[in-house]
Amino acid sequence: MRVVIAEDSVLLREGLTRLLTDRGHEVVAGVADAEALIKTMAELSAEDALPDVVVADVRMPPTHTDEGVRAAVQLRKAHPGLGVLVLSQYVEERYATELLAGSSRGVGYLLKDRVAEVREFVDAVVRVARGGTALDPEVVAQLLGRSRKQDVLAGLTPREREVLGLMAEGRTNSAIARQLVVSDGAVEKHVSNIFLKLGLSPSEGDHRRVLAVLTYLNS
C-alpha cells in the first residue's frame, strides 16, 4: 500500500509514517499543509504514481479550520478512485458529511485517539485504500443520533440501527456478528431487513450496502 500523509504536527506525522512503514507499507510523501498536499498529489499524478490512500488532518495551516477536509474533497473529485482517510481531534459532523456527500467508497473519518489503537488504525487505512469505509464509532453515533434522521430510520428496530451503524464503520457481516455476539445468519437477516425498509431493491446489487449508509448520512 502506498500512502501520502498530510499532518502539520511533525511528531504525529513521523509517528504515522513509522506505524505504516513498520507494517510493510510505503509512505511516499509527508506534508504539513493542504497546499503542499494538493501540489504533491498533482506531481504524483503527472508521474502516474498516485498513492492508494491519503491520510490527512481535517485542520491544517494556515487557519487550522477546514483546509485538510477541503483538500480531501478536492482530491476525491479529481481522483475518484483515491482512498481518503481524514483525522480529527473531535467529532465534526459537517466535515464528515461533506466528505461522504459524493460516495462513501474509499472514505474514512477517524478521531486521532484511534491512532493509539495501532492495529485498528492500520486496518482502517488498508480498508479505505481498498475502497472500503472506515468511520469512527463516535462519528457514527453522533450522526445516527440526529433527530432529523428519525423519519428515515423510523422503521428500523434498535438492533437494525445498531447493525447499520456498524456497517457505516466499514465492518463486514462477519465482523458485525463477532461484535454483537450473534450468528452470521442473524446479521444477514438484519441487513436484508434494513435494505427492505430503506427501499433498496436487489437490483442495486453490492451497492446497496453503500446506499444504506448514505441514506442516513445524507438524510
Side-chain angles (χ1 to χ4, degrees), residues 1 3-31 53-58 60 85-88 110-118 120-122 124-125:
M1 183 177 66
V3 188
V4 167
I5 298 174
E7 166 61 56
D8 61 297
S9 167
V10 176
L11 288 177
L12 182 53
R13 187 168 69 247
E14 292 301 319
L16 293 174
T17 299
R18 180 67 180 271
L19 284 179
L20 293 167
T21 55
D22 282 354
R23 284 154 184 80
H25 305 297
E26 180 186 2
V27 177
V28 297
V31 299
V53 60
V54 170
V55 178
D57 191 356
V58 166
M60 289 193 290
L85 173 64
V86 298
L87 301 176
S88 178
L110 296 180
L111 295 184
K112 288 186 175 181
D113 288 346
R114 303 296 173 190
V115 176
E117 300 166 12
V118 175
E120 289 188 18
F121 171 73
V122 175
V125 178

Side-chain angles (χ1 to χ4, degrees), residues 2 4 28 40-42 44-53 79 82:
R2 302 176 71 251
V4 167
V28 297
T40 296
M41 291 297 290
L44 291 172
S45 179
E47 298 169 2
D48 196 24
L50 282 173
D52 300 297
V53 60
H79 311 288
L82 176 70

Side-chain angles (χ1 to χ4, degrees), residues 69-135:
V69 75
R70 289 197 177 281
V73 171
Q74 181 178 334
L75 290 173
R76 289 276 293 173
K77 290 178 179 178
H79 311 288
L82 176 70
V84 173
L85 173 64
V86 298
L87 301 176
S88 178
Q89 192 68 41
Y90 310 102
V91 177
E92 299 175 281
E93 287 186 35
R94 179 168 63 87
Y95 298 152
T97 53
E98 183 176 3
L99 185 64
L100 290 156
S103 168
S104 67
R105 180 173 173 79
V107 171
Y109 186 111
L110 296 180
L111 295 184
K112 288 186 175 181
D113 288 346
R114 303 296 173 190
V115 176
E117 300 166 12
V118 175
R119 182 176 178 180
E120 289 188 18
F121 171 73
V122 175
D123 285 348
V125 178
V126 173
R127 188 161 64 245
V128 169
R130 292 175 176 173
T133 305
L135 294 183

